């Protein structure tokens, strides 16, 4: 099979095309013929050697989420069958990741794609969708009528979090990247959206919520987030996925919740239900061929990504 892999840690240029064996299939695994692979900052972190195992195995096929069609199932798999359209998030990929024509994944990390989405859009959201939904529902436990700031809302996680927050009946104040990001996030349902580089973020947020906001979902750190935190009510909640840099610091009277998006049968069932109920729109920033995976990483490094970058495995 063709795969995009690295033979050493390094920059985007370290990603090159490889001809590799199709991974073997264990009894509790599913073989997916990959259609779409997600590209995220975590992929770049692994490429550069962060999260690396002590004795890394090369060539290392990147990619932790995507979609495709079930090509084979292990002898113990009953929930899925050959021909199913599925999506998956699997952080531990000892047999290689989704930047390939085939990937072998534990069956409990795989689900049929939601009826609203095609393979391309479903392949963009396993990590971002689970992270967004678990931030809103599990970390923040957001309730109807509450006011929330979603900071850095125009990225892959934020564009989905805005829609899930609206689904739960919250009032959403969002910061976004540039005019394009502001317009997109407004279209996705935020009640008020401003550019995250504005100096008066806290003043604008207070106009939106004079009594303070109940919660913040932080998808970026730094000075702008500190300004958002000034608008939190006493005993307000701030949640952020692990990996946000610089990570926000604890303040008196603030509940700080760090979390990771996790995948499993129940988690995907909840995501599918939320995708349907929210009539979810998935913003694709850019799409690259598998042979040009290094270009996707170059684009990622430029920043200001509105939505999610993906690889189309069969595009030329």
């Amino acid at each position: 099979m063709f795969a995009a892999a690295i033979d050493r840690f390094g920059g985007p240029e370290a990603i090159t095309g490889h001809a590799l064996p199709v991974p073997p299939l264990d009894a509790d695994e599913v073989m997916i013929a990959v259609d779409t692979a997600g590209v995220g900052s975590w992929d770049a972190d692994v490429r550069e050697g962060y999260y690396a195992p002590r004795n890394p195995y090369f060539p290392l096929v990147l990619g932790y989420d995507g979609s495709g069609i079930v090509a084979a199932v292990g002898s113990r798999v009953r929930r899925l069958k050959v021909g199913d359209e599925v999506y998956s998030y699997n952080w531990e990929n000892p047999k290689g990741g989704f930047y390939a024509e085939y990937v072998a994944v534990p069956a409990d990390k795989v689900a049929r794609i939601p009826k609203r989405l095609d393979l391309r859009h479903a392949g963009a959201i396993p990590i971002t969708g689970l992270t967004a939904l678990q931030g809103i529902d599990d970390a923040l436990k957001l309730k109807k009528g509450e006011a929330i700031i979603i900071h850095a809302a125009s990225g892959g996680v934020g564009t989905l979090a805005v829609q899930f927050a609206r689904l739960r009946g919250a009032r959403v104040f969002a910061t976004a990247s540039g005019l394009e990001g502001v317009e997109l996030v407004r279209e996705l349902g935020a009640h008020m959206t401003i550019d995250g580089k504005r100096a008066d973020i806290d003043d604008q947020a207070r106009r939106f919520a004079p009594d303070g906001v109940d919660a913040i979902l932080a998808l970026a750190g730094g000075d702008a987030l500190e300004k958002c935190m000034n608008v939190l009510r006493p005993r307000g909640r701030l949640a952020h996925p692990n990996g946000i840099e610089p990570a926000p610091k604890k303040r008196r009277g603030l509940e700080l919740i760090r979390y990771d998006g996790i995948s499993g049968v129940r988690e995907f069932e909840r995501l599918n239900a939320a995708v349907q109920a929210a009539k979810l729109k998935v913003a694709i920033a850019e799409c690259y061929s598998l042979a040009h995976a290094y270009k996707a990483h170059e684009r990622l490094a430029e920043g200001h990504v509105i939505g999610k970058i993906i690889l189309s495995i069969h595009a030329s």
Side-chain angles (χ1 to χ4, degrees):
M1 68 176 185
F2 183 73
I6 59 174
D7 294 306
R8 57 177 176 81
F9 296 122
E13 72 285 350
I15 306 172
T16 57
H18 289 65
L20 297 175
V22 173
L25 193 65
D26 290 346
D28 60 351
E29 291 181 330
V30 171
M31 182 75 71
I32 301 172
V34 184
D35 177 272
T36 299
V39 178
S41 58
W42 42 89
D43 296 324
D45 289 342
V46 173
R47 186 201 73 226
E48 291 175 357
Y50 302 113
Y51 313 124
R54 187 167 296 167
N55 298 304
Y57 50 93
F58 293 111
L60 174 62
V61 180
L62 298 170
Y64 297 93
D65 69 339
S67 66
I69 295 172
V70 175
V73 297
S75 59
R76 292 206 294 267
V77 176
R78 299 287 179 268
R79 191 172 49 86
L80 299 161
K81 64 181 187 305
V82 171
D84 283 346
E85 294 188 342
V86 295
Y87 64 157
S88 170
Y89 164 34
N90 184 43
W91 180 249
E92 297 291 342
N93 283 342
K95 297 181 181 180
F98 286 80
Y99 290 18
E101 291 182 300
Y102 292 93
V103 64
V105 183
D108 62 357
K109 305 291 186 182
V110 182
R112 292 184 183 89
I113 67 173
K115 290 174 185 168
R116 277 196 66 80
L117 301 181
D118 57 17
L119 282 167
R120 176 186 173 103
H121 291 86
I125 70 162
I127 290 177
T128 53
L130 291 165
T131 302
L133 186 63
Q134 289 165 24
I136 295 296
D137 282 358
D138 301 338
L140 292 173
K141 299 179 173 60
L142 196 64
K143 300 179 184 66
K144 185 176 181 179
E146 288 192 315
I148 182 173
I149 296 175
I150 299 178
H151 178 53
S154 50
V157 177
T159 49
L160 306 181
V162 167
Q163 297 174 77
F164 293 145
R166 284 298 310 268
L167 177 64
R168 301 305 181 222
R171 297 176 58 242
V172 179
F173 178 94
T175 71
S177 180
L179 182 60
E180 183 187 357
V182 167
E183 289 179 354
L184 173 63
V185 171
R186 189 179 293 133
E187 288 171 10
L188 293 176
H191 294 91
M192 183 173 178
T193 310
I194 67 167
D195 191 314
K197 289 190 168 62
R198 283 182 60 155
D200 62 344
I201 285 176
D202 41 0
D203 293 337
Q204 294 295 324
R206 283 194 190 92
R207 280 181 52 204
F208 175 76
D211 297 327
V213 298
D214 301 285
I216 296 173
L217 182 62
L219 303 170
D223 292 342
L225 176 58
E226 295 294 322
K227 290 180 180 177
C228 292
M229 293 168 70
N230 294 337
V231 191
L232 260 181
R233 290 179 177 178
R235 296 185 299 281
R237 298 104 66 199
L238 184 151
H240 71 90
N242 284 309
I244 297 300
E245 294 292 340
K249 294 182 174 64
K250 184 87 172 80
R251 293 187 185 182
R252 182 187 294 272
L254 159 71
E255 184 182 359
L256 183 62
I257 307 128
R258 298 183 176 93
Y259 76 101
D260 289 307
I262 59 171
S263 61
V265 174
R266 179 173 167 272
E267 286 77 17
F268 271 116
E269 286 174 352
R270 289 173 50 206
L271 179 57
N272 280 15
V275 167
Q276 293 294 117
K279 299 178 179 172
L280 196 75
K281 297 181 179 71
V282 179
I284 303 292
E286 310 249 6
C287 178
Y288 295 86
S289 69
L290 184 57
H292 290 145
Y294 71 95
K295 289 188 176 180
H297 279 237
E298 290 174 347
R299 175 65 189 88
L300 197 64
E302 291 170 10
H304 191 64
V305 175
I306 308 302
K308 183 71 182 287
I309 297 172
I310 58 170
L311 300 178
S312 179
I313 304 307
H314 303 293
S316 56

